[in-house]
Amino acid sequence: MAHTDSRTMRRVLRREIAGTIGLLTDEQDFRAMRRYRTFTFADHDTYLEQVEGLLRTRALQGSHTTVALFDPEDYADFCRRETLDPDLPSSRTRFTAHLALTGPTLPYEGQPLADLLAALVDEAVRQATWEYATTLLARLGPCTSCGEDIGRAAFTRASDLLARILDTAPPGNRHLVCSVTGPPETLVAALHTTDTSGTTELDEAEALEFTTVLALGLATESPGGLVIRVSAPGTPDRVYGWRLRSYGLHPLTAAEVFDAYCTDIESGDLISPESDVDYCRPPDLGEEKPAGGHHH
């Protein structure tokens, strides 16, 4: 009887333990891990099927599981830093525990594994974009003329602009995209907001990343733009935007917005416009002309 009670209690305790699975999302990363003798999977598709089966089993047992992006290069670096043998399952377990604290993770909630993989990659790109933009902002340092921290001032300016954009946007769900072009690559950030009974709800992590990328464009006066699409029941979607210019936002004309949305980026050919979409000039943000950015 005591033995049965112990097993029952252990089953109950297992349901109380949250777990993290480090996932190899693509074929290239999977092949890189096959160089380790103790990594016994031979086929990526089979590996993914087994992972999905394990996730479903844990969910049926009432266990909560998060999924992390397992990068073989980061894993090798981690093992070197921690003086671990990378060809041991225990080392992979320790790295996965490290990912649970530092890397992008998403909860498994019964969704198809393909959807979870796509969302996990998007989350990893978001985090990398934010970290890179934050690093570049920090490197700008203080203004040589006034001593003000350029990155911090630009972030404050970007936060104010974002608040004005949301305050002046028509009611509805909003999808915003900010892109900043500069060496070595173009940074893109997206922000989704929902309108619930007149209250705007947004993801704070998305908002932080979006504001950081916008701040970088303002601080460096790099070419870039910001567009917003507003969707509300019973009305056409409204699309409008701005280009980054002189430490601020310069409104695009309706024709410029139309051209941007109805031109193929790679070929330059025209694309048929969407139905029930109004391409229009943005509302007045209601701000005074911004002071010039820091020049250094």
Side-chain angles (χ1 to χ4, degrees):
M1 181 66 175
H3 181 64
T4 302
D5 288 344
S6 295
R7 286 191 300 178
T8 301
M9 285 188 289
R10 282 198 293 269
R11 283 198 298 268
V12 172
L13 285 173
R14 277 198 292 269
R15 291 198 295 268
E16 301 291 328
I17 299 174
T20 303
I21 294 177
L23 190 58
L24 297 161
T25 58
D26 60 47
E27 184 74 36
Q28 182 177 349
D29 287 346
F30 180 82
R31 288 198 302 269
M33 289 301 294
R34 290 201 62 205
R35 67 177 179 265
Y36 300 120
R37 178 185 54 82
T38 57
F39 186 79
T40 58
F41 288 97
D43 176 77
H44 189 230
D45 289 337
T46 302
Y47 161 80
L48 293 178
E49 290 174 3
Q50 292 298 316
V51 169
E52 187 164 23
L54 176 60
L55 290 171
R56 288 175 177 169
T57 299
R58 286 180 55 83
L60 289 172
Q61 293 171 345
S63 299
H64 176 79
T65 310
T66 57
V67 179
L69 194 67
F70 195 106
D71 183 278
E73 292 185 6
D74 290 345
Y75 172 62
D77 290 341
F78 175 82
C79 289
R80 280 192 291 270
R81 291 195 309 270
E82 302 295 326
T83 62
L84 299 174
D85 181 355
D87 201 1
L88 287 177
S90 59
S91 299
R92 293 194 287 274
T93 301
R94 286 186 59 176
F95 179 63
T96 300
H98 170 74
L99 291 177
L101 297 174
T102 62
T105 61
L106 289 176
Y108 175 71
E109 298 173 330
Q111 66 270 54
L113 186 61
D115 294 345
L116 183 60
L117 287 176
L120 187 61
V121 171
D122 287 345
E123 184 67 21
V125 171
R126 273 183 49 191
Q127 181 169 319
T129 298
W130 173 75
E131 291 175 350
Y132 181 64
T134 300
T135 299
L136 293 182
L137 277 177
R139 287 177 180 173
L140 295 176
C143 175
T144 56
S145 299
C146 67
E148 185 177 20
D149 186 281
I150 297 173
R152 187 176 295 113
F155 188 88
T156 300
R157 170 77 175 142
S159 299
D160 179 63
L161 285 171
L162 177 57
R164 292 175 184 270
I165 289 171
L166 296 178
D167 287 344
T168 58
N173 296 332
R174 295 83 174 254
H175 176 66
L176 297 84
V177 177
C178 179
S179 61
V180 173
T181 303
E185 59 185 310
T186 297
L187 297 182
V188 180
L191 174 64
H192 305 79
T193 75
T194 56
D195 191 353
T196 305
S197 302
T199 301
T200 299
E201 298 181 358
L202 51 78
D203 182 278
E204 292 185 1
E206 274 193 2
L208 177 61
E209 178 203 343
F210 188 92
T211 306
T212 303
V213 171
L214 176 57
L216 181 64
L218 295 173
T220 58
E221 298 192 12
S222 300
L226 191 160
V227 293
I228 178 172
R229 181 169 184 152
V230 183
S231 303
T235 62
D237 285 6
R238 297 187 63 183
V239 179
Y240 53 87
W242 301 261
R243 65 168 52 89
L244 274 62
R245 178 180 290 175
S246 300
Y247 207 59
L249 298 175
H250 182 77
L252 297 170
T253 66
E256 289 173 325
V257 177
F258 179 88
D259 288 344
Y261 266 77
C262 301
T263 303
D264 185 275
I265 296 176
E266 295 182 358
S267 67
D269 296 334
L270 293 178
I271 304 172
S272 298
E274 297 180 64
S275 59
D276 293 325
V277 175
D278 288 341
Y279 304 95
C280 49
R281 185 178 178 86
D284 185 358
L285 295 181
E287 64 164 352
E288 299 177 358
K289 185 176 180 181
H294 291 93
H295 298 281
H296 50 286

